[in-house]
Amino acid sequence: MTFSDLHLIPPIQKALTQIGYINPTSIQQEAIPLVLKGQDVLGSAQTGTGKTAAFSLPIIQQLVEHKPKNGRTNVRALIVTPTRELAIQIAESITEYAQYTNIKNTVIFGGVSQNAQTQQLKKGVDILVATPGRLIDLMHQRFISLEHITHFVLDEADRMLDMGFIHDIKKIIAQLPQQRQSLFFSATMPKNI
């Protein structure tokens, strides 16, 4: 199987060809068609197996295909991940995958000044990659609204629990619209996930 068998739109195919992606991994083969159909997915795969592409490629495609008519750019996809390093890595991958589309993304995380991050948010983003603490902080300050979210991704869900983020995740989920696609990815699947 190749990525062209997964019915991804030409701008994404072009980006994948440029990056050198030819054959999808198992998690990508299984998750991408389900996400494109709008189904919720609970995916388990080890680190380094391409989970980021498994959820971000179909999300980018759905956002391109359902661009709001009013031209406004609201956060429509939220990806929550436990660490700054992982958040940056995911955002960089999305920038690569979406380079031939009009989809904008940014990343927010704690430990640095929020000014550059809030400036990006004011310009408008379709996909937001965030760590839980900074996300909740900027929600309280009204820099971020989750009312337009159509896709919610919880990446490294097992590490989120290990790192004590369960209460933050519950706060975030409580703010999301009931009608949304939920995607949880994790290397292991403890019962509480």
Side-chain angles (χ1 to χ4, degrees), residues 67-68 70-77 124-127 145 147-148:
K67 196 76 172 151
N70 63 11
R72 298 216 6 233
T73 306
N74 295 308
V75 177
R76 294 183 292 145
V125 296
D126 298 285
I127 303 174
S145 163
E147 67 181 300
H148 299 283

Side-chain angles (χ1 to χ4, degrees), residues 45 76 89 91 105 118 131 145 154 162 169 180-181 189:
R76 294 183 292 145
Q89 191 180 331
N105 77 87
T118 56
T131 55
S145 163
L154 193 59
D162 293 344
I169 297 305
R180 66 173 189 271
Q181 186 174 22
M189 279 295 164

Side-chain angles (χ1 to χ4, degrees), residues 77-182:
L78 173 63
I79 300 164
V80 181
T81 192
T83 66
R84 169 187 9 208
E85 295 74 26
L86 192 54
I88 291 168
Q89 191 180 331
I90 291 169
E92 286 171 351
S93 294
I94 291 171
T95 299
E96 270 192 310
Y97 304 151
Q99 64 184 308
Y100 298 112
T101 72
N102 58 0
I103 298 300
K104 297 183 177 100
N105 77 87
T106 196
V107 59
I108 61 169
F109 48 81
V112 296
S113 166
Q114 72 180 33
N115 292 342
Q117 296 174 3
T118 56
Q119 290 306 311
Q120 280 297 120
L121 291 167
K122 285 178 186 171
K123 289 179 190 172
V125 296
D126 298 285
I127 303 174
L128 177 62
V129 183
T131 55
R134 178 56 58 97
L135 174 62
I136 290 170
D137 189 23
L138 293 183
M139 284 165 58
H140 285 315
Q141 294 179 53
R142 304 212 186 289
F143 282 111
I144 296 171
S145 163
L146 302 184
E147 67 181 300
H148 299 283
I149 297 292
T150 54
H151 300 81
F152 173 60
V153 180
L154 193 59
D155 191 34
E156 301 285 344
D158 51 353
R159 285 182 61 201
M160 290 276 198
L161 296 179
D162 293 344
M163 293 170 74
F165 286 127
I166 188 70
H167 297 299
D168 288 346
I169 297 305
K170 286 180 177 177
K171 279 185 205 167
I172 294 163
I173 290 174
Q175 298 298 313
L176 294 170
Q178 288 296 311
Q179 279 299 109
R180 66 173 189 271
Q181 186 174 22
S182 296

